[in-house]
Amino acid sequence: MVGKDITAELRKRGFKLTPQRKAIVSVLGNCSEHLRPADIHERLHKKYPGIGLVTVYRTLELLQENGLLCEVHIGASCRSYLKRHRPGEHHHHLICRDCGRVEDFTDCELDRLKQRLERETGFLISRHLLEFMGLCPQCKIKKA
Amino acid sequence: MVGKDITAELRKRGFKLTPQRKAIVSVLGNCSEHLRPADIHERLHKKYPGIGLVTVYRTLELLQENGLLCEVHIGASCRSYLKRHRPGEHHHHLICRDCGRVEDFTDCELDRLKQRLERETGFLISRHLLEFMGLCPQCKIKKA
DNA sequence: CTCTGTGCAAAACCTTTGCAGACTC
DNA sequence: GAGTCTGCAAAGGTTTTGCACAGAG
């Protein structure tokens, strides 16, 4: 999913397409790393000075509530975001601990484990969080 | 692992066993939920007034660096902690979204997936985060 | 007795809120 | 034009730091 799709999705849901929102979406869309609100704000300043950090927070909240971006948890600030490549589709992340690059994968093969845990613990499981962390191919070579 | 083991472990590593540290460890040890620093501080005040929030932060950092407690990520503040039942052992969490209770499980059955992802993406995977969220048996009944 | 650990106060962040004016539709 | 959205300023939280004193070993 590229920025264009996100803005189209926003319009479809009746939100206004302000230059600020477009700018934030484009920063996320041109980036394969996870970014914190302050990172996004900093990158915006180069191209679009004058956008407030508050607007970044509000836009991130809007995009997240509408399922247009995802959060990353492992090894980063808890408030790290990423554009969503496949909106609506269940997926997980593979994160490079050196460069921060993120890859998606969809098949998490967790159904069997989920069923076993429900049987063994009596819990009713509704969702899960799965992230892998390591080195991406490029960073693997640099390290060697 | 109970509080006693944690304090023994601290002593073994040359850290001082102050009443504050014992108190914090005992709060964690008597609790099956995940707690934020402020939660811990609040619970301490009932029994041991006068312990500063700063000390809670410093003790949590110490315990975490020594692998004596674990963090919880899903559906909570990013700074949520839990006593570690099986120190050193690889494990994951099952979290109740109503009461916050946490259960451990050790076998995550992720080796096959990890190998597949390494083969398909070229990443070198070093660790992973897996948490399940749902309703514990008690809260499941209350909801029904 | 030594040196780590604590409490207080203050600083440094991060995030949210209120409000007047700007801009999209 | 109507109503949403933005920027500013300020408030509200959370986390870190500096320093003098207390207390564990």
Side-chain angles (χ1 to χ4, degrees):
Chain A
M1 172 179 229
V2 287
K4 214 171 170 185
D5 300 313
I6 299 185
T7 51
E9 194 60 33
L10 283 179
R11 173 179 288 132
K12 203 169 78 183
R13 300 187 191 196
F15 297 105
K16 298 196 168 165
L17 277 192
T18 64
Q20 291 90 336
R21 286 180 178 167
K22 283 182 197 165
I24 292 168
V25 165
S26 95
V27 166
L28 285 167
N30 289 321
C31 178
S32 60
E33 306 153 53
H34 48 105
L35 301 172
R36 288 162 303 162
D39 297 328
I40 295 170
H41 186 237
E42 194 189 338
R43 296 193 182 204
L44 282 171
H45 258 283
K46 294 176 191 166
K47 264 184 122 174
Y48 319 84
I51 296 188
L53 181 55
V54 180
T55 301
V56 174
Y57 274 98
R58 287 191 276 226
T59 303
L60 289 175
E61 192 187 355
L62 175 77
L63 293 175
Q64 196 184 11
E65 280 173 354
N66 286 275
L68 300 171
L69 51 75
C70 17
E71 284 175 277
V72 165
H73 294 261
I74 206 174
S77 144
C78 271
R79 207 126 173 201
S80 240
Y81 298 98
L82 190 71
K83 74 187 151 179
R84 188 151 194 165
H85 292 93
R86 310 175 179 89
E89 194 174 343
H90 179 81
H91 73 283
H92 297 284
H93 299 130
L94 232 165
I95 305 155
C96 177
R97 66 163 189 266
D98 266 24
C99 69
R101 200 181 119 199
V102 180
E103 292 286 328
D104 291 8
F105 63 95
T106 48
D107 182 8
C108 61
E109 306 178 5
L110 284 174
D111 284 347
R112 220 173 67 94
L113 176 60
K114 181 189 163 205
Q115 283 163 27
R116 196 195 88 204
L117 288 172
E118 287 187 325
R119 199 172 55 237
E120 289 178 2
T121 65
F123 268 65
L124 179 66
I125 294 173
S126 50
R127 64 197 186 94
H128 60 263
L129 171 64
L130 172 64
E131 292 179 357
F132 285 93
M133 168 154 279
L135 291 172
C136 71
Q138 285 83 351
C139 293
K140 200 167 65 175
I141 291 167
K142 276 185 212 149
K143 288 266 170 180
Chain B
M1 172 179 227
V2 287
K4 215 172 171 184
D5 300 314
I6 297 185
T7 51
E9 194 60 32
L10 284 179
R11 173 180 287 135
K12 204 169 77 182
R13 300 189 192 196
F15 297 106
K16 298 195 169 167
L17 278 191
T18 63
Q20 291 89 337
R21 285 180 180 167
K22 285 182 198 164
I24 292 167
V25 165
S26 96
V27 166
L28 285 167
N30 290 321
C31 177
S32 60
E33 306 153 52
H34 49 105
L35 301 172
R36 287 162 303 158
D39 298 328
I40 296 171
H41 186 236
E42 195 189 336
R43 296 193 181 202
L44 281 171
H45 258 284
K46 294 176 189 164
K47 263 185 123 174
Y48 320 83
I51 296 189
L53 180 56
V54 179
T55 300
V56 174
Y57 274 98
R58 287 192 275 226
T59 302
L60 289 174
E61 193 186 356
L62 176 77
L63 294 175
Q64 196 185 11
E65 279 173 355
N66 286 277
L68 300 171
L69 50 75
C70 18
E71 286 175 276
V72 165
H73 293 261
I74 206 173
S77 144
C78 271
R79 208 125 173 201
S80 238
Y81 297 98
L82 190 70
K83 72 187 153 179
R84 187 151 194 166
H85 292 92
R86 310 174 179 89
E89 195 174 344
H90 179 83
H91 72 283
H92 297 285
H93 299 130
L94 232 166
I95 305 155
C96 178
R97 66 162 190 266
D98 267 24
C99 69
R101 199 180 120 199
V102 180
E103 293 286 329
D104 291 7
F105 63 94
T106 48
D107 182 9
C108 60
E109 306 177 6
L110 284 175
D111 283 346
R112 220 172 67 93
L113 177 58
K114 182 191 165 205
Q115 283 163 25
R116 196 195 89 204
L117 289 171
E118 286 188 325
R119 201 171 51 237
E120 290 177 0
T121 65
F123 268 64
L124 178 67
I125 294 173
S126 51
R127 63 197 187 93
H128 60 264
L129 171 65
L130 173 63
E131 291 178 358
F132 285 93
M133 166 154 278
L135 290 173
C136 72
Q138 286 82 352
C139 294
K140 202 168 66 176
I141 292 167
K142 275 184 211 148
K143 287 267 168 176

